[in-house]
Amino acid sequence: MLAEGTAFAEIYSGSYIFTSALLERGFLMELIESFPEPVFVTQPLLPDINKVMVKVRQIWESKQLTNNGPMVRKLEEELGSYLKVMNLSLFSNGTIALQIACRILKLSGEVITTPFTFAATPHALVWSNLKPVFCDVENETLNMDPDCIEKLITPGTSAIMPVHVYGNPCAVEKIQKIADRYALKVIYDAAHAFGVEVAGKPIGAFGDISMFSLHATKVYHSVEGGALTFNHPFLKEEADMLRNFGIKNEENIIEPGTNGKMNELQAAIGLLLLEIIDEEIENRRKVANQYRAQLMDIPGLTFFRDIEGVKHNYAYFPIRIDCKEFGHSRDELFEELKKFNIFTRKYFYPLCSRFMCYRNLPAADEGSLPVAEKAAGEILVLPMHGRMGADVIDTICRIIRVYSSHGR
Ligand SMILES: Cc1ncc(COP(=O)(O)O)c(C=O)c1O
């Protein structure tokens, strides 16, 4: 790998003959060695193994592995205060949490959502017998465009399910106004938005319910897991019952519930990671800033900047590639990075509206989601986690820069 700060002029000095042929991209790319180990888009945050063993021992001694045990109850309390919300419940994963959210709000018919998301968002709707109606996104945030919502509302619409994509907050005030005007419920898929705040208000305080995924690929996790935050304690009571088969007490099963319970081992990991999450987010902020500094002036490459008044969590580092300006398409860059053992992700390509199972929905028509379609073809998520070395980020940026300059 090239040493930090090595300028191309230095590479060409000494015994190298400075000819235009040497400026060929192939030559420059060959000077950068591939990573010996794969660099994946993320790496799970892991607690100290010795601390894990202490917690496991406590669980063994308690002889309670699941069913709302002490670890789960403690994590609910601690997460509630970390996320600054009054009503929070934990689940085995975020997808089942979304389904339970739909059920307790008694949704029916159509739900307006975004196609620019992970498959779980529309899938959770369909598993709840609801019809996803895909709404286009804003070009700046790639979140649901509030100006496109109203025209999709029909007498059959019961709710809006926006997603805070990459942890960037949706236009929460505008969305709430529309929901209020049409008496619609709002469930935020906040899978990416752990710990995010808008003007001092926690992200989980918007809408009727928010869902946080606690999957191992997320900023904060419990291996697998999910959390719902509710705007009313009554909703928490309902959700707690539904995650446990609808059991109210030993002799009263009052709802056809499901099994959505988080277990004690998951909660133990969650408790330990809560001790180091602030440090992880701070480290991610530094990674994001290094990426920004080193990718800043590459034509045809753009990225998100911090939004004033928003506390970010730096969950992902997406870049957007304008093929003409950059000189290569997003897909070409994706393939080029693979040659260096760097595995980026095309989140979110294909759009959910393009999935085989959703092609029968109206929004799958050509041209009805122009902003989302364009973004899906241009976005690439670079490796991001709090333990990435500055040299790794430097090499990734260098490869992108050299690859781009050749194309222009
Ligand atoms: C936007 C979004 N929604 C929902 C989910 C589903 O969460 P889980 O994997 O915890 O079921 C995920 C991630 O996995 C996601 O990225």
Side-chain angles (χ1 to χ4, degrees):
M1 255 159 259
L2 293 178
E4 172 104 17
T6 308
F8 295 145
E10 290 169 42
I11 301 164
Y12 303 131
S13 66
S15 56
Y16 290 113
I17 302 163
F18 195 90
T19 66
S20 59
L22 281 181
L23 282 173
E24 281 297 311
R25 175 193 67 96
F27 174 79
L28 292 175
M29 292 308 252
E30 270 168 30
L31 285 175
I32 307 175
E33 279 174 30
S34 164
F35 285 100
E37 298 291 330
V39 179
F40 294 116
V41 76
T42 196
Q43 199 186 79
L45 182 62
L46 295 173
D48 179 336
I49 188 70
N50 296 313
K51 289 189 171 187
V52 174
M53 293 321 293
V54 171
K55 283 267 189 273
V56 170
R57 241 175 237 118
Q58 282 172 14
I59 294 171
W60 259 231
E61 277 157 20
S62 80
K63 299 195 173 41
Q64 183 166 5
L65 300 182
T66 185
N67 287 358
N68 205 24
M71 295 277 174
V72 167
R73 294 199 304 272
K74 189 159 189 274
L75 184 58
E76 279 192 353
E77 205 181 299
E78 292 196 10
L79 262 187
S81 68
Y82 186 87
L83 295 174
K84 303 181 184 164
V85 290
M86 299 289 286
N87 308 295
L88 179 146
S89 294
L90 291 168
F91 301 86
S92 47
N93 61 65
T95 307
I96 199 91
L98 272 183
Q99 289 170 222
I100 288 175
C102 292
R103 184 113 193 165
I104 57 177
L105 290 178
K106 300 189 168 40
L107 303 188
S108 62
E110 297 169 8
V111 175
I112 298 171
T113 189
T114 167
F116 196 81
T117 183
F118 182 61
T121 315
H123 286 358
L125 293 173
V126 172
W127 274 66
S128 309
N129 281 326
L130 298 162
K131 181 176 167 189
V133 174
F134 294 116
C135 176
D136 208 357
V137 300
E138 299 170 314
N139 200 42
E140 300 70 38
T141 60
L142 305 183
N143 287 330
M144 185 184 286
D145 185 343
D147 294 336
C148 296
I149 296 175
E150 276 188 274
K151 61 175 184 269
L152 298 173
I153 297 173
T154 72
T157 309
S158 60
I160 310 173
M161 187 184 277
V163 180
H164 302 296
V165 180
Y166 309 129
N168 288 326
C170 292
V172 285
E173 304 294 349
K174 281 188 180 175
I175 290 171
Q176 195 57 53
K177 270 196 191 133
I178 297 167
D180 291 345
R181 200 174 311 137
Y182 293 89
L184 302 176
K185 301 288 185 194
V186 181
I187 300 176
Y188 279 107
D189 180 334
H192 303 171
F194 185 87
V196 169
E197 293 180 20
V198 186
K201 202 171 162 185
I203 199 78
F206 297 100
D208 296 276
I209 300 180
S210 293
M211 182 285 286
F212 297 87
S213 166
L214 309 183
H215 183 260
T217 53
K218 301 296 187 277
V219 174
Y220 167 81
H221 69 91
S222 54
V223 186
E224 292 269 2
L228 291 180
T229 59
F230 313 91
N231 69 356
H232 200 286
F234 159 77
L235 293 173
K236 173 173 164 57
E237 272 173 42
E238 281 276 302
D240 288 352
M241 204 157 50
L242 280 187
R243 74 180 172 187
N244 188 29
F245 310 101
I247 298 173
K248 186 161 176 71
N249 57 45
E250 232 167 283
E251 296 190 3
N252 288 299
I253 288 82
I254 59 172
E255 296 250 23
T258 185
N259 183 356
K261 301 185 299 303
M262 177 177 276
N263 67 51
E264 291 291 276
L265 289 157
Q266 287 173 288
I269 300 297
L271 283 167
L272 292 173
L273 291 183
L274 213 43
E275 294 173 6
I276 54 173
I277 186 61
D278 284 338
E279 186 189 340
E280 170 69 9
I281 292 174
E282 175 53 19
N283 289 340
R284 283 170 175 258
R285 188 184 67 77
K286 290 181 185 150
V287 172
N289 284 339
Q290 187 181 340
Y291 268 133
R292 287 167 179 162
Q294 295 194 237
L295 297 173
M296 195 168 63
D297 54 355
I298 300 180
L301 185 155
T302 48
F303 45 76
F304 292 109
R305 297 191 178 274
D306 285 359
I307 304 163
E308 212 186 310
V310 171
K311 184 177 165 208
H312 290 274
N313 66 4
Y314 308 96
Y316 299 88
F317 195 84
I319 57 170
R320 206 164 160 174
I321 299 298
D322 175 329
C323 179
K324 251 198 195 146
E325 287 265 306
F326 184 77
H328 295 280
S329 68
R330 181 275 312 271
D331 289 351
E332 286 169 339
L333 177 60
F334 172 80
E335 293 300 332
E336 185 67 19
L337 289 168
K338 269 206 258 178
K339 292 180 194 160
F340 291 87
N341 231 355
I342 303 162
F343 297 91
T344 57
R345 295 300 295 265
K346 302 177 194 178
Y347 292 144
F348 289 99
Y349 174 86
L351 290 182
C352 295
S353 48
R354 293 274 173 166
F355 293 176
M356 190 88 85
C357 50
Y358 297 132
R359 285 210 189 129
N360 58 337
L361 296 175
D365 292 350
E366 205 64 46
S368 59
L369 301 164
V371 184
E373 291 280 2
K374 191 164 190 308
E378 296 182 348
I379 209 92
L380 192 65
V381 175
L382 299 184
M384 162 59 91
H385 58 82
R387 288 129 286 128
M388 277 180 78
D391 55 336
V392 174
I393 306 162
D394 183 68
T395 304
I396 295 171
C397 294
R398 207 176 282 266
I399 293 166
I400 296 173
R401 179 175 295 280
V402 172
Y403 189 56
S404 79
S405 60
H406 173 69
R408 284 185 288 126

